[in-house]
Amino acid sequence: LWSEKQEPRWHFKRTFSPHDPLFTSQWHLHDTPGKDLNVVNAWNLGFTGKGVTIGVVDDGLQSSHPDFSGNYHPGASYDFNYDDFDPEPFSFDSHGTQAAGAAAAAEN
């Protein structure tokens, strides 16, 4: 019979380290006190948004964007500008995709 004295081990959660090459230029996500979404602190606390459903009403959504992979529900989309179910924006309509990306983009 073999035994060993058990010693407590401390485990610390690793801090989030984004792999997005454009992350440093996304001022609205971090490093702009009072004006950013403060997401890095939320991510470090373990908040991911998993299981949460949100809606974004804006000027269009590039639903095929890789940041929305697995996080886009086409049945919930509607284009109020053109009264149809295709949310794809025109070339000048990028704000909706940017807003939805800040709220629902896939990790890294």
Side-chain angles (χ1 to χ4, degrees):
L1 190 59
W2 179 82
S3 65
E4 177 181 332
K5 181 180 177 184
Q6 299 297 304
E7 298 289 333
R9 294 183 185 173
W10 296 97
H11 296 277
F12 297 97
K13 194 171 207 168
R14 290 181 281 196
T15 57
F16 178 77
S17 177
H19 301 289
D20 185 337
L22 299 176
F23 185 74
T24 56
S25 65
Q26 296 171 337
W27 62 267
H28 56 284
L29 296 180
H30 63 95
D31 294 336
T32 311
K35 296 181 181 179
D36 64 45
L37 297 175
N38 201 21
V39 295
V40 175
N41 287 338
W43 292 333
N44 286 338
L45 290 171
F47 294 102
T48 64
K50 184 175 181 174
V52 174
T53 301
I54 64 164
V56 175
V57 179
D58 211 306
D59 66 357
L61 175 71
Q62 183 188 349
S63 60
S64 61
H65 194 287
D67 280 355
F68 301 125
S69 178
N71 288 350
Y72 171 70
H73 188 328
S77 292
Y78 189 77
D79 185 339
F80 290 95
N81 290 327
Y82 298 99
D83 197 25
D84 63 26
F85 293 94
D86 180 10
E88 295 300 315
F90 288 101
S91 61
F92 57 87
D93 290 334
S94 63
H95 188 268
T97 301
Q98 293 168 352
E107 180 181 345
N108 285 316

